[in-house]
Amino acid sequence: MTNEHVSKTNVREQYEYRRKKNAKEMKLQVVTFALMIFLTLIAFMAVGFSEHIPVKFIAPFILLLAIIQVIFQLYYFMHANHKGHELPMFYMYCGAATAFLTILAFCTIVWW
Amino acid sequence: MNVEGKFTPQTWPDSPEKQTLEGKNKFLGFWLFLGGETVLFATLFATYLALKEKGSSITTEELFSMPLVFAMTMLLLSSSLTSVYAIYHMKNYNFKLMQAWFLLTVFLGFGFLCLEIYEFYHYVHGEHFTYSSSAFSSAYYTLVGTHGAHVTFGLLWFIALLVRNAKRGLNLYNAPKYYVASLYWHFIDVVWVFIFTVVYLMGMVG
């Protein structure tokens, strides 16, 4: 086998590997999407049938569903589960921590 | 790697958005921007929660309609999936399918925007719930309107990319541009998840 032949086989193998990897990831994305739709439906149904469910339970429950859905969105749709996302996720968690503190302060120690 | 060079599906690299220095910087810088956007929206959410139903004769339960919010949510969630499909085709160096999926994303996003405009129009003319009606109405329109402005900007951004690169095809110069625009679109969806939960659904249970 010549060198040229080896490198051609390599390119083809790498290409096929990438295609398969991308197709596998896309399948996972569709599953993620189905789960997100499912969570959304549960949240809307919890509010739609609010006469049968205690109101104090609904708010934290749908908030939890929203947080789970956002984690799906960040880690799958925005590819944060791929390597090289350490610094981006550091930025996002800093943003989320600031967001949490701001909302907590406005809802508790600031009065209007 | 040559930025403007021609590729084939075989020679197209893995993670094309991060192959050039510009692409790497764009990727990191854009995530930093999204961290900042998180804080921007947090301040608007905090103001909304603090001023909810303050100085207003109309309650959130009377105002919001579940079928409309549900339709808007489904449109925006689906548009998030279609942009994932577009990036999938970008990674496989399939320019035409990438453009087609982004175009579908634009249509779904436009549908969302039309429903939001209808909603605001209905509130202003049907319910006499205007921007200056009360502290609550100002906080509501500022929060949901800022999100709507982001949707509008995202749509214009996509259209600009689709038109500008229509004849150019895919290369390492524009791959990071498409990738970053899709990140922006997902972030808009993230914000909407909190808006439909905190503003609409929590508003409907009182």
Side-chain angles (χ1 to χ4, degrees):
Chain A
M1 272 204 293
T2 60
N3 272 342
E4 202 180 319
H5 183 79
V6 171
S7 80
K8 265 189 184 167
T9 340
N10 258 342
V11 165
R12 204 182 58 235
E13 274 174 3
Q14 276 175 11
Y15 166 67
E16 277 165 10
Y17 168 73
R18 275 201 311 272
R19 293 287 289 209
K20 269 189 197 155
K21 193 183 73 175
N22 291 345
K24 204 174 158 191
E25 201 196 341
M26 195 56 230
K27 255 187 212 162
L28 209 64
Q29 302 278 27
V30 176
V31 174
T32 309
F33 177 71
L35 279 170
M36 280 162 52
I37 292 287
F38 180 64
L39 293 176
T40 308
L41 286 176
I42 294 180
F44 273 87
M45 272 156 66
V47 175
F49 297 106
S50 56
E51 298 123 51
H52 309 288
I53 310 165
V55 173
K56 274 189 182 161
F57 169 75
I58 294 178
F61 176 64
I62 59 176
L63 207 56
L64 181 71
L65 293 182
I67 290 168
I68 296 172
Q69 198 178 138
V70 161
I71 289 171
F72 275 139
Q73 186 92 244
L74 277 177
Y75 280 87
Y76 289 93
F77 279 16
M78 293 166 94
H79 314 288
N81 56 343
H82 290 188
K83 61 177 180 186
H85 280 77
E86 295 79 12
L87 210 48
M89 283 304 107
F90 173 70
Y91 297 152
M92 289 310 277
Y93 282 110
C94 285
T98 315
F100 175 72
L101 271 181
T102 310
I103 292 167
L104 188 71
F106 272 55
C107 293
T108 53
I109 55 172
V110 179
W111 65 92
W112 309 77
Chain B
M1 248 182 263
N2 183 10
V3 179
E4 302 265 7
K6 291 279 174 215
F7 286 88
T8 66
Q10 283 77 17
T11 58
W12 187 238
D14 208 13
S15 313
E17 73 279 2
K18 281 184 277 184
Q19 289 302 321
T20 60
L21 180 63
E22 189 185 339
K24 279 180 197 149
N25 289 341
K26 219 168 241 176
F27 170 80
L28 207 56
F30 197 77
W31 274 104
L32 181 60
F33 166 72
L34 289 184
E37 287 268 279
T38 309
V39 180
L40 164 82
F41 275 102
T43 59
L44 298 178
F45 269 107
T47 314
Y48 172 81
L49 286 170
L51 295 175
K52 189 178 170 188
E53 295 183 342
K54 291 271 158 59
S56 172
S57 53
I58 192 162
T59 65
T60 50
E61 272 169 297
E62 293 161 344
L63 197 62
F64 301 145
S65 121
M66 190 184 267
L68 185 71
V69 177
F70 185 72
M72 287 164 82
T73 305
M74 285 301 140
L75 280 175
L76 211 60
L77 272 182
S78 318
S79 79
S80 213
L81 180 73
T82 55
S83 75
V84 169
Y85 265 108
I87 292 299
Y88 164 67
H89 289 299
M90 184 195 88
K91 287 186 171 168
N92 282 341
Y93 198 71
N94 192 332
F95 180 67
K96 277 188 180 152
L97 277 177
M98 180 191 77
Q99 294 275 88
W101 280 102
F102 272 132
L103 195 64
L104 189 60
T105 308
V106 169
F107 279 122
L108 290 168
F110 186 69
F112 172 88
L113 202 62
C114 289
L115 287 183
E116 185 152 276
I117 290 166
Y118 163 78
E119 186 195 14
F120 283 4
Y121 184 85
H122 171 73
Y123 290 164
V124 170
H125 293 278
E127 311 280 347
H128 301 292
F129 182 75
T130 65
Y131 191 84
S132 52
S133 292
S134 58
F136 165 56
S137 76
S138 307
Y140 167 80
Y141 281 121
T142 308
L143 170 58
V144 182
T146 304
H147 176 265
H150 277 73
V151 172
T152 314
F153 185 80
L155 288 179
L156 293 176
W157 189 355
F158 274 141
I159 293 167
L161 280 179
L162 293 178
V163 172
R164 174 139 166 69
N165 295 306
K167 284 186 186 153
R168 184 187 271 154
L170 199 54
N171 56 33
L172 291 180
Y173 167 69
N174 55 27
K177 291 173 185 282
Y178 280 105
Y179 187 86
V180 157
S182 92
L183 281 185
Y184 186 73
W185 195 253
H186 291 308
F187 181 76
I188 288 171
D189 205 34
V190 164
V191 175
W192 181 255
V193 168
F194 283 115
I195 289 183
F196 87 69
T197 304
V198 173
V199 176
Y200 291 100
L201 291 183
M202 283 163 135
M204 282 176 216
V205 288

